[in-house]
């Protein structure tokens, strides 16, 4: 099968054009705030769009067909091309002069990981801060399209189940219904972002802070405009509660938001994944809040009528951090690694959960955990009744063995990569806690980790090799493992 390189280059050009257009927004903000970085961001946009136009002009008249091989290449190299071009505003403005650091920050942005190498975020020009948040938002939009259009086509880790809810491709050609579905979900994504911005502004944030945090929340990214992240607003509980609500929405299946907004609320509460997602958040919050209330110290605000002392503060900070870690948003309202040793291990475990399929969250995803647990329980029955046909059921539908095997393979590969990731970071000089935390956080696109990479620190202490390695883990986790790894196999490039 001959590779359709023209469509690949054409799509890369389109991505660069989109990237450059968003840079113009950052340049506009830079001009409004007169931060001195306007021309640097503008030059970045021009260079990016010029390369994009050249790529699209060169491949005009391409065959409009994307098959599996092209799909893998577009997804993997698309994220890399976006990250390389996304470095330019940092490099041209001098905000992050190192290529290694700029690539790490940009990849962390597009993969919505939220891990940063910056020591003083508040010293950055406003235009650069907005660009940093926009990389999150672009990556969040991109992952929605992947979930709808590309991953079900490639058969990635059980994403076919999601495609049953969100109409996907019927064959190798992209189906027009995909475009319609993507447009609806993008509209919801955009609408949530606008609504959150307005609510945060009324709650007391400046407009600039509000829009940046809305961009980071809906993408489950976690980049903040403040060095202390959301802990900066510990005296404004209403701001943190607003962020909590929208983190929860961003970590849920966006198709369910569409059902709810079109009056089909019953579909939301019938969805098995959503019920477990909600249940996990509730149970884990109660367990951790009890531990925080009785065993740890949390900041208690005296400046808001909604505050009822330590009980409310323990509940709020625990709920905030549980949702931030489960949805892989990575915002910080308190350092959960300083609470107790048990809660440190507890939150480390949450890094492997992930949000819902069809959300902007990273991680393994609740749906996969459900299928693995259900299949494991059914193995007991199959052992007792070896001749019986006992299928796994999800949302009252039978799940094919192929999907179950795919999900189990995904989980095994995920854990194997976590171990390898930890070994590499350990080899590069990190202590055990920092190595396992950094690996889990990078692969799960969480952001904050453990040890020297804890929630109140950053990744600047990593050696350059460690930053490149963590950036690779971020890409692996964001693109559902198989997408990247299969491109690295010799078999993939053989002509068939």
């Amino acid at each position: 099968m001959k590779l359709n390189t023209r469509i690949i280059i054409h799509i890369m050009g389109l991505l660069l054009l989109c990237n450059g257009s968003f840079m113009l927004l950052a340049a506009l903000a830079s001009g409004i705030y007169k931060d001195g970085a306007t021309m640097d961001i503008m030059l970045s946009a021009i260079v990016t769009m010029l390369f994009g136009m050249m790529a699209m002009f060169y491949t005009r008249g391409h065959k409009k067909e994307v098959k599996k091989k092209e799909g893998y290449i577009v997804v993997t190299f698309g994220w890399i091309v976006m990250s390389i071009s996304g470095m330019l505003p940092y490099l041209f403005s001098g905000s992050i002069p190192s290529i290694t650091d700029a690539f790490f920050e940009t990849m962390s942005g597009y993969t919505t990981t939220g891990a940063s190498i910056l020591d003083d975020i508040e010293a950055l020009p406003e235009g650069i801060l907005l660009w940093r948040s926009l990389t999150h938002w672009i990556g969040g939009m991109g992952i929605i399209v992947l979930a709808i259009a590309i991953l079900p086509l490639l058969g990635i880790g059980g994403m076919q189940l999601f495609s049953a809810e969100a109409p996907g491709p019927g064959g190798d050609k992209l189906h027009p219904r995909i475009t319609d579905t993507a447009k609806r979900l993008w509209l919801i994504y955009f609408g949530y972002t606008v609504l959150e911005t307005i609510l945060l502004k009324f709650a007391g944030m400046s407009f600039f802070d509000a829009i940046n945090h809305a961009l980071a929340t809906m993408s489950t990214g976690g980049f903040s405009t403040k060095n202390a992240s959301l802990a900066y607003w510990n005296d404004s509980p209403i701001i943190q509660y607003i962020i909590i609500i929208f983190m929860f929405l961003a970590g849920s299946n966006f198709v369910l938001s569409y059902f709810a907004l079109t009056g089909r609320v019953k579909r939301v509460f019938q969805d098995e994944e959503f019920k477990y997602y909600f249940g996990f958040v509730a149970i884990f919050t109660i367990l951790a809040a009890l531990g925080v209330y009785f065993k740890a110290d949390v900041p208690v605000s005296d400046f808001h009528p909604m505050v009822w002392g330590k009980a409310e503060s323990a509940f709020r900070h625990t709920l905030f951090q549980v949702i931030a870690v489960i949805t892989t948003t990575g915002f910080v309202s308190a350092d959960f690694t300083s609470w107790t040793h048990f809660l440190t291990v507890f939150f480390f475990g949450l890094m492997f959960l992930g949000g819902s399929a069809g959300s902007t969250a990273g991680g393994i995803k609740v749906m996969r955990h459900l299928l693995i647990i259900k299949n494991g329980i059914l193995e007991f029955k199959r052992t007792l009744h070896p001749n019986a046909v006992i299928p796994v059921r999800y949302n009252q539908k039978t799940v094919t063995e192929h999907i179950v095997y795919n999900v189990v393979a995904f989980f095994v590969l995920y854990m194997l990569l976590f171990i390898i990731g930890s070994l590499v970071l350990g080899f590069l000089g990190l202590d055990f806690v920092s190595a396992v935390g950094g690996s889990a956080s990078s692969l799960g696109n969480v952001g904050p980790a453990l040890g020297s990479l804890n929630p109140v620190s950053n990744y600047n202490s990593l050696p350059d090799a460690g930053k490149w390695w963590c950036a690779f883990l971020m890409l692996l986790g964001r693109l559902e493992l198989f997408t990247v790894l299969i491109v690295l196999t010799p078999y993939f490039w053989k002509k068939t």
Side-chain angles (χ1 to χ4, degrees):
M1 183 178 68
K2 188 178 179 181
L3 197 65
N4 187 356
T5 54
R6 294 178 68 84
I7 185 70
I8 294 169
I9 296 171
H10 191 84
I11 294 174
M12 296 298 173
L14 181 61
L15 289 174
L16 288 173
L17 276 179
C18 292
N19 222 20
S21 301
F22 279 106
M23 287 180 195
L24 292 177
L25 285 177
L28 177 62
S30 181
I32 293 171
Y33 285 96
K34 296 182 174 61
D35 61 14
T38 308
M39 295 310 297
D40 298 316
I41 303 173
M42 186 73 75
L43 179 61
S44 305
I46 291 170
V47 170
T48 301
M49 295 177 79
L50 185 62
F51 274 96
M53 286 187 285
M54 287 169 58
M56 294 187 75
F57 179 78
Y58 172 74
T59 56
R60 63 192 187 281
H62 61 277
K63 187 179 179 183
K64 296 181 180 180
E65 187 175 21
V66 178
K67 295 189 177 180
K68 279 200 172 187
K69 275 197 174 183
E70 287 87 354
Y72 284 116
I73 294 170
V74 164
V75 173
T76 301
F77 288 98
W79 240 264
I80 294 172
V81 166
M82 293 285 277
S83 295
I84 291 172
S85 62
M87 293 193 300
L88 298 182
Y90 298 129
L91 295 173
F92 288 178
S93 67
S95 300
I96 306 178
S98 161
I99 289 178
T100 295
D101 288 348
F103 185 81
F104 179 94
E105 196 79 11
T106 312
M107 181 61 79
S108 179
Y110 284 115
T111 58
T112 72
T113 303
S116 180
I117 49 82
L118 294 167
D119 291 317
D120 189 1
I121 296 165
E122 295 171 36
L124 292 180
E126 282 82 356
I128 296 297
L129 284 174
L130 181 62
W131 172 242
R132 192 165 166 263
S133 300
L134 282 169
T135 58
H136 271 344
W137 203 71
I138 297 165
M141 277 202 303
I143 208 65
I144 291 175
V145 175
L146 284 184
I148 298 166
I150 306 296
L151 297 182
L153 170 66
L154 304 180
I156 298 300
M159 290 304 288
Q160 300 95 320
L161 286 175
F162 174 60
S163 68
E165 293 291 338
D172 279 341
K173 292 186 179 180
L174 293 180
H175 199 284
R177 289 169 63 193
I178 295 170
T179 308
D180 295 334
T181 305
K183 283 178 181 176
R184 293 187 187 104
L185 299 191
W186 275 359
L187 188 60
I188 293 169
Y189 185 67
F190 178 78
Y192 277 158
T193 307
V194 172
L195 178 60
E196 186 184 357
T197 302
I198 294 169
L199 291 175
L200 289 174
K201 178 68 177 71
F202 278 108
M205 273 192 183
S206 69
F207 176 73
F208 183 77
D209 287 335
I211 193 167
N212 274 276
H213 285 87
L215 292 169
T217 303
M218 291 318 303
S219 61
T220 65
F223 279 157
S224 176
T225 55
K226 304 296 181 185
N227 293 327
S229 189
L230 264 293
Y232 182 87
W233 288 278
N234 275 344
D235 287 334
S236 302
I238 186 65
I239 287 177
Q240 294 182 347
Y241 280 117
I242 290 169
I243 297 282
I244 284 169
I245 291 168
F246 283 93
M247 281 195 297
F248 182 83
L249 290 172
S252 63
N253 190 330
F254 271 74
V255 172
L256 297 182
S257 287
Y258 175 73
F259 288 148
L261 293 170
T262 52
R264 289 174 281 179
V265 180
K266 192 176 179 181
R267 289 285 298 272
V268 177
F269 295 102
Q270 287 176 338
D271 185 78
E272 199 169 351
E273 184 181 37
F274 180 80
K275 287 189 286 188
Y276 277 92
Y277 169 58
F278 182 87
F280 285 151
V281 169
I283 293 168
F284 294 148
T285 298
I286 292 169
L287 289 174
L290 290 172
V292 171
Y293 182 77
F294 289 108
K295 296 289 185 179
D297 292 322
V298 287
V300 179
S301 169
D302 297 321
F303 304 103
H304 199 282
M306 284 187 64
V307 177
W308 305 292
K310 186 176 179 180
E312 184 278 337
S313 189
F315 170 77
R316 171 165 43 91
H317 287 294
T318 303
L319 177 62
F320 189 100
Q321 291 307 150
V322 165
I323 293 182
V325 174
I326 287 178
T327 63
T328 71
T329 306
F331 277 140
V332 176
S333 69
D335 181 8
F336 57 78
T337 63
S338 68
W339 286 344
T340 67
H341 294 306
F342 167 75
L343 288 174
T344 299
V345 178
F346 178 85
F347 278 99
F348 173 68
L350 292 186
M351 291 180 186
F352 293 90
L353 184 54
S356 303
S359 73
T360 56
I364 294 174
K365 303 290 192 305
V366 173
M367 178 190 71
R368 291 194 180 101
H369 285 290
L370 281 178
L371 291 178
I372 291 167
I373 292 168
K374 284 187 172 192
N375 187 61
I377 292 171
L378 289 179
E379 280 300 320
F380 292 113
K381 291 184 179 180
R382 292 173 187 141
T383 302
L384 291 172
H385 308 284
N387 295 324
V389 178
I390 310 173
V392 176
R393 299 184 70 82
Y394 176 80
N395 275 342
Q396 299 179 341
K397 296 177 183 176
T398 299
V399 179
T400 64
E401 284 190 351
H402 167 71
I403 292 178
V404 174
Y405 294 153
N406 200 311
V407 169
V408 172
F410 179 94
F411 183 80
V412 171
L413 186 58
Y414 191 98
M415 298 310 295
L416 182 62
L417 287 167
F418 158 66
I419 294 169
I420 294 172
S422 303
L423 288 171
V424 172
L425 291 177
F427 176 77
L428 294 173
L430 273 70
D431 61 88
F432 174 76
V433 174
S434 301
V436 297
S439 179
S441 183
S442 298
L443 193 59
N445 306 124
V446 178
L450 308 177
S452 61
L453 310 176
N454 66 69
V456 294
S457 186
N458 59 37
Y459 284 65
N460 196 32
S461 60
L462 282 177
D464 283 357
K467 291 170 184 174
W468 286 104
W469 177 247
C470 283
F472 175 64
L473 291 178
M474 292 175 199
L475 184 67
L476 280 175
R478 179 78 283 184
L479 300 185
E480 307 284 327
L481 309 187
F482 296 125
T483 316
V484 179
L485 294 177
I486 197 170
V487 175
L488 301 178
T489 62
Y491 175 78
F492 178 83
W493 299 100
K494 288 182 180 178
K495 291 183 179 180
T496 55

mmCIF file of all heavy atoms in Angstrom, residues 1 12 68 124 132 134 159 177 191 265 302 316 328 340 346 363 368 375-376 422 468 494:
data_model
loop_
_atom_site.group_PDB
_atom_site.id
_atom_site.type_symbol
_atom_site.label_atom_id
_atom_site.label_comp_id
_atom_site.label_asym_id
_atom_site.label_seq_id
_atom_site.Cartn_x
_atom_site.Cartn_y
_atom_site.Cartn_z
ATOM 1 N N MET A 1 0.845 -1.188 0.000
ATOM 2 C CA MET A 1 0.000 0.000 0.000
ATOM 3 C C MET A 1 0.882 1.240 0.000
ATOM 4 O O MET A 1 1.711 1.425 0.893
ATOM 5 C CB MET A 1 -0.918 0.018 1.224
ATOM 6 C CG MET A 1 -1.873 1.182 1.269
ATOM 7 S SD MET A 1 -2.965 1.113 2.721
ATOM 8 C CE MET A 1 -1.795 1.407 4.044
ATOM 9 N N MET A 12 -0.290 18.657 7.784
ATOM 10 C CA MET A 12 0.721 19.335 8.597
ATOM 11 C C MET A 12 0.707 20.838 8.317
ATOM 12 O O MET A 12 0.817 21.666 9.237
ATOM 13 C CB MET A 12 2.124 18.784 8.303
ATOM 14 C CG MET A 12 2.321 17.330 8.660
ATOM 15 S SD MET A 12 2.106 16.994 10.413
ATOM 16 C CE MET A 12 2.195 15.213 10.426
ATOM 17 N N LYS A 68 -5.138 3.971 7.493
ATOM 18 C CA LYS A 68 -4.561 3.749 8.823
ATOM 19 C C LYS A 68 -3.149 4.286 8.969
ATOM 20 O O LYS A 68 -2.815 4.966 9.937
ATOM 21 C CB LYS A 68 -4.605 2.256 9.162
ATOM 22 C CG LYS A 68 -5.962 1.785 9.660
ATOM 23 C CD LYS A 68 -5.830 0.485 10.412
ATOM 24 C CE LYS A 68 -7.170 0.122 11.067
ATOM 25 N NZ LYS A 68 -7.048 -1.054 11.938
ATOM 26 N N LEU A 124 6.781 36.527 33.240
ATOM 27 C CA LEU A 124 6.627 36.411 31.786
ATOM 28 C C LEU A 124 5.706 37.500 31.238
ATOM 29 O O LEU A 124 4.766 37.931 31.923
ATOM 30 C CB LEU A 124 6.047 35.048 31.416
ATOM 31 C CG LEU A 124 6.915 33.813 31.656
ATOM 32 C CD1 LEU A 124 6.162 32.563 31.238
ATOM 33 C CD2 LEU A 124 8.227 33.905 30.885
ATOM 34 N N ARG A 132 1.038 30.348 26.199
ATOM 35 C CA ARG A 132 1.239 29.145 27.013
ATOM 36 C C ARG A 132 -0.105 28.471 27.305
ATOM 37 O O ARG A 132 -0.235 27.248 27.206
ATOM 38 C CB ARG A 132 1.936 29.578 28.304
ATOM 39 C CG ARG A 132 2.513 28.498 29.183
ATOM 40 C CD ARG A 132 3.460 29.148 30.195
ATOM 41 N NE ARG A 132 3.801 28.217 31.275
ATOM 42 C CZ ARG A 132 3.205 28.190 32.445
ATOM 43 N NH1 ARG A 132 2.229 29.046 32.711
ATOM 44 N NH2 ARG A 132 3.571 27.317 33.372
ATOM 45 N N LEU A 134 -2.880 28.923 25.557
ATOM 46 C CA LEU A 134 -3.488 28.529 24.275
ATOM 47 C C LEU A 134 -2.959 27.181 23.793
ATOM 48 O O LEU A 134 -3.691 26.424 23.149
ATOM 49 C CB LEU A 134 -3.244 29.608 23.216
ATOM 50 C CG LEU A 134 -4.136 30.842 23.293
ATOM 51 C CD1 LEU A 134 -3.620 31.941 22.362
ATOM 52 C CD2 LEU A 134 -5.586 30.500 22.940
ATOM 53 N N MET A 159 -11.085 2.397 22.002
ATOM 54 C CA MET A 159 -11.771 3.639 21.688
ATOM 55 C C MET A 159 -12.960 3.422 20.749
ATOM 56 O O MET A 159 -13.760 4.309 20.528
ATOM 57 C CB MET A 159 -10.788 4.652 21.061
ATOM 58 C CG MET A 159 -9.763 5.182 22.043
ATOM 59 S SD MET A 159 -10.475 5.951 23.512
ATOM 60 C CE MET A 159 -11.107 7.473 22.802
ATOM 61 N N ARG A 177 -20.049 12.801 8.782
ATOM 62 C CA ARG A 177 -20.682 12.927 10.097
ATOM 63 C C ARG A 177 -19.664 13.220 11.193
ATOM 64 O O ARG A 177 -19.990 13.780 12.228
ATOM 65 C CB ARG A 177 -21.446 11.640 10.427
ATOM 66 C CG ARG A 177 -22.705 11.459 9.591
ATOM 67 C CD ARG A 177 -23.269 10.054 9.752
ATOM 68 N NE ARG A 177 -23.682 9.788 11.116
ATOM 69 C CZ ARG A 177 -23.974 8.549 11.550
ATOM 70 N NH1 ARG A 177 -23.856 7.518 10.736
ATOM 71 N NH2 ARG A 177 -24.367 8.377 12.792
ATOM 72 N N GLY A 191 -17.937 26.989 24.339
ATOM 73 C CA GLY A 191 -18.962 27.568 25.205
ATOM 74 C C GLY A 191 -18.614 27.437 26.679
ATOM 75 O O GLY A 191 -18.775 28.389 27.453
ATOM 76 N N VAL A 265 -30.942 14.352 29.289
ATOM 77 C CA VAL A 265 -30.212 14.222 30.545
ATOM 78 C C VAL A 265 -30.190 12.778 31.031
ATOM 79 O O VAL A 265 -29.214 12.325 31.635
ATOM 80 C CB VAL A 265 -30.835 15.136 31.626
ATOM 81 C CG1 VAL A 265 -30.073 15.015 32.941
ATOM 82 C CG2 VAL A 265 -30.839 16.579 31.156
ATOM 83 N N ASP A 302 -10.281 33.289 56.173
ATOM 84 C CA ASP A 302 -11.179 34.021 57.068
ATOM 85 C C ASP A 302 -11.898 35.153 56.334
ATOM 86 O O ASP A 302 -12.532 35.993 56.948
ATOM 87 C CB ASP A 302 -10.384 34.635 58.228
ATOM 88 C CG ASP A 302 -9.723 33.568 59.090
ATOM 89 O OD1 ASP A 302 -10.371 32.533 59.319
ATOM 90 O OD2 ASP A 302 -8.578 33.780 59.505
ATOM 91 N N ARG A 316 -12.779 21.233 50.605
ATOM 92 C CA ARG A 316 -12.534 21.956 49.344
ATOM 93 C C ARG A 316 -11.181 21.596 48.744
ATOM 94 O O ARG A 316 -11.086 21.293 47.544
ATOM 95 C CB ARG A 316 -12.630 23.455 49.596
ATOM 96 C CG ARG A 316 -12.182 24.322 48.423
ATOM 97 C CD ARG A 316 -12.636 25.760 48.562
ATOM 98 N NE ARG A 316 -12.461 26.262 49.914
ATOM 99 C CZ ARG A 316 -11.363 26.891 50.346
ATOM 100 N NH1 ARG A 316 -10.336 27.074 49.532
ATOM 101 N NH2 ARG A 316 -11.288 27.347 51.585
ATOM 102 N N THR A 328 -6.444 14.821 35.430
ATOM 103 C CA THR A 328 -5.088 15.158 34.975
ATOM 104 C C THR A 328 -4.958 16.642 34.636
ATOM 105 O O THR A 328 -4.176 17.011 33.762
ATOM 106 C CB THR A 328 -4.651 14.289 33.762
ATOM 107 O OG1 THR A 328 -5.376 14.665 32.599
ATOM 108 C CG2 THR A 328 -4.845 12.818 34.045
ATOM 109 N N THR A 340 -0.039 13.697 54.441
ATOM 110 C CA THR A 340 0.429 12.522 55.196
ATOM 111 C C THR A 340 1.087 11.570 54.204
ATOM 112 O O THR A 340 0.880 11.685 52.987
ATOM 113 C CB THR A 340 -0.726 11.773 55.903
ATOM 114 O OG1 THR A 340 -1.582 11.195 54.904
ATOM 115 C CG2 THR A 340 -1.536 12.699 56.806
ATOM 116 N N PHE A 346 -1.761 7.719 48.157
ATOM 117 C CA PHE A 346 -3.144 7.763 47.670
ATOM 118 C C PHE A 346 -3.227 8.570 46.370
ATOM 119 O O PHE A 346 -3.789 8.114 45.365
ATOM 120 C CB PHE A 346 -4.028 8.398 48.761
ATOM 121 C CG PHE A 346 -5.472 8.555 48.395
ATOM 122 C CD1 PHE A 346 -6.374 7.517 48.567
ATOM 123 C CD2 PHE A 346 -5.949 9.758 47.889
ATOM 124 C CE1 PHE A 346 -7.716 7.667 48.237
ATOM 125 C CE2 PHE A 346 -7.280 9.919 47.563
ATOM 126 C CZ PHE A 346 -8.162 8.870 47.739
ATOM 127 N N GLY A 363 -4.383 9.994 31.165
ATOM 128 C CA GLY A 363 -4.469 8.794 31.990
ATOM 129 C C GLY A 363 -5.029 7.592 31.265
ATOM 130 O O GLY A 363 -5.296 7.631 30.063
ATOM 131 N N ARG A 368 -11.531 2.038 30.562
ATOM 132 C CA ARG A 368 -10.597 0.909 30.464
ATOM 133 C C ARG A 368 -10.507 0.172 31.794
ATOM 134 O O ARG A 368 -10.464 -1.060 31.831
ATOM 135 C CB ARG A 368 -9.225 1.385 30.021
ATOM 136 C CG ARG A 368 -9.173 1.867 28.570
ATOM 137 C CD ARG A 368 -7.734 2.006 28.103
ATOM 138 N NE ARG A 368 -7.676 2.469 26.723
ATOM 139 C CZ ARG A 368 -7.426 3.727 26.360
ATOM 140 N NH1 ARG A 368 -7.207 4.639 27.291
ATOM 141 N NH2 ARG A 368 -7.388 4.069 25.104
ATOM 142 N N ASN A 375 -13.767 -7.888 33.212
ATOM 143 C CA ASN A 375 -13.211 -9.088 32.594
ATOM 144 C C ASN A 375 -12.518 -9.963 33.635
ATOM 145 O O ASN A 375 -12.614 -11.196 33.596
ATOM 146 C CB ASN A 375 -12.226 -8.700 31.489
ATOM 147 C CG ASN A 375 -11.736 -9.893 30.705
ATOM 148 O OD1 ASN A 375 -12.523 -10.601 30.077
ATOM 149 N ND2 ASN A 375 -10.437 -10.141 30.751
ATOM 150 N N GLY A 376 -11.838 -9.316 34.596
ATOM 151 C CA GLY A 376 -11.167 -10.073 35.653
ATOM 152 C C GLY A 376 -12.147 -10.852 36.510
ATOM 153 O O GLY A 376 -11.914 -12.020 36.848
ATOM 154 N N SER A 422 10.344 5.151 34.798
ATOM 155 C CA SER A 422 10.923 5.333 36.133
ATOM 156 C C SER A 422 12.394 4.936 36.141
ATOM 157 O O SER A 422 13.242 5.620 36.736
ATOM 158 C CB SER A 422 10.159 4.496 37.166
ATOM 159 O OG SER A 422 8.791 4.832 37.181
ATOM 160 N N TRP A 468 13.793 15.772 27.900
ATOM 161 C CA TRP A 468 13.419 15.172 26.606
ATOM 162 C C TRP A 468 12.676 13.860 26.823
ATOM 163 O O TRP A 468 11.707 13.553 26.124
ATOM 164 C CB TRP A 468 14.665 14.934 25.751
ATOM 165 C CG TRP A 468 15.233 16.189 25.161
ATOM 166 C CD1 TRP A 468 16.338 16.863 25.578
ATOM 167 C CD2 TRP A 468 14.712 16.936 24.047
ATOM 168 N NE1 TRP A 468 16.549 17.977 24.801
ATOM 169 C CE2 TRP A 468 15.569 18.044 23.850
ATOM 170 C CE3 TRP A 468 13.623 16.768 23.198
ATOM 171 C CZ2 TRP A 468 15.360 18.986 22.842
ATOM 172 C CZ3 TRP A 468 13.411 17.711 22.181
ATOM 173 C CH2 TRP A 468 14.271 18.801 22.020
ATOM 174 N N LYS A 494 7.331 -0.869 6.280
ATOM 175 C CA LYS A 494 7.447 -1.789 5.146
ATOM 176 C C LYS A 494 6.277 -1.618 4.203
ATOM 177 O O LYS A 494 5.137 -1.406 4.625
ATOM 178 C CB LYS A 494 7.484 -3.241 5.648
ATOM 179 C CG LYS A 494 8.800 -3.626 6.355
ATOM 180 C CD LYS A 494 8.763 -5.079 6.781
ATOM 181 C CE LYS A 494 10.054 -5.477 7.473
ATOM 182 N NZ LYS A 494 10.014 -6.893 7.942
#
